[in-house]
Amino acid sequence: MQYSGLRSAVVALALALPALPALAGHPGPEPDKIEARIQAAIDRLDLTAEQRGQLDPVVREHVAQVQAVRAKYPAEASREQKREMFREVRALHDGYDAKMRAVLTDEQEKKWDEMRQEHRERMRDHARQRHADAPEKGTQ
């Protein structure tokens, strides 16, 4: 298998965590952080060459779909627009998760679940921090 196929599969794994935040106008993680997430996903899941080959098209499709949804919404999206975008991205992630699980072994699925839970906790912490840092309405 070529390195580019492995890289694509790893990108998919990193995005499934997901690497792309579901916030309109958010630039997403820096490339070096994505690379670190990719390597961590490969290491933790211990994918075979066959699995990497199966995941390559899944990753490419998922990345394109998430980018298309994010592109539909302006940087200064309303609260309702952000909710709608979140629903769309969530549906994509759910479908992606099912495709990933179809390729993973039972042991890899357990690791996948741990990784997703850790990601959810990081995202919650990030949202709480963003909320705490935001100025209160009427105080400026």
Side-chain angles (χ1 to χ4, degrees):
M1 162 151 253
Q2 293 183 9
Y3 177 74
S4 63
L6 165 61
R7 181 177 169 84
S8 295
V10 176
V11 169
L13 291 172
L15 292 174
L17 296 179
L20 293 175
L23 297 172
H26 192 285
E30 298 167 9
D32 59 333
K33 289 184 180 179
I34 291 174
E35 290 298 324
R37 288 179 186 171
I38 289 170
Q39 190 57 51
I42 287 175
D43 292 346
R44 286 184 70 179
L45 291 175
D46 194 28
L47 297 176
T48 66
E50 181 180 352
Q51 288 172 314
R52 292 176 200 145
Q54 291 172 312
L55 293 174
D56 184 51
V58 173
V59 170
R60 291 177 190 276
E61 176 186 30
H62 182 67
V63 169
Q65 289 174 335
V66 170
Q67 288 174 338
V69 168
R70 291 184 67 206
K72 289 182 356 183
Y73 296 89
E76 298 299 323
S78 69
R79 177 174 271 181
E80 186 52 41
Q81 287 174 318
K82 287 179 184 179
R83 285 182 182 146
E84 181 58 31
M85 184 180 60
F86 177 78
R87 284 189 284 269
E88 288 182 50
V89 170
R90 179 62 167 200
L92 291 174
H93 287 321
D94 289 346
Y96 178 73
D97 183 66
K99 291 175 184 177
M100 289 292 298
R101 289 178 187 284
V103 174
L104 300 176
T105 66
D106 290 343
E107 186 63 32
Q108 288 169 324
E109 272 195 77
K110 289 176 187 175
K111 291 176 186 176
W112 178 251
D113 289 337
E114 290 171 13
M115 293 165 65
R116 288 182 52 95
Q117 182 59 36
E118 290 166 7
H119 174 74
R120 280 192 284 277
E121 290 170 8
R122 281 193 311 272
M123 293 304 291
R124 274 189 218 115
D125 291 345
H126 179 71
R128 285 184 190 120
Q129 185 62 46
R130 227 180 31 247
H131 180 70
D133 291 345
E136 291 186 37
K137 290 183 179 180
T139 60
Q140 288 187 334

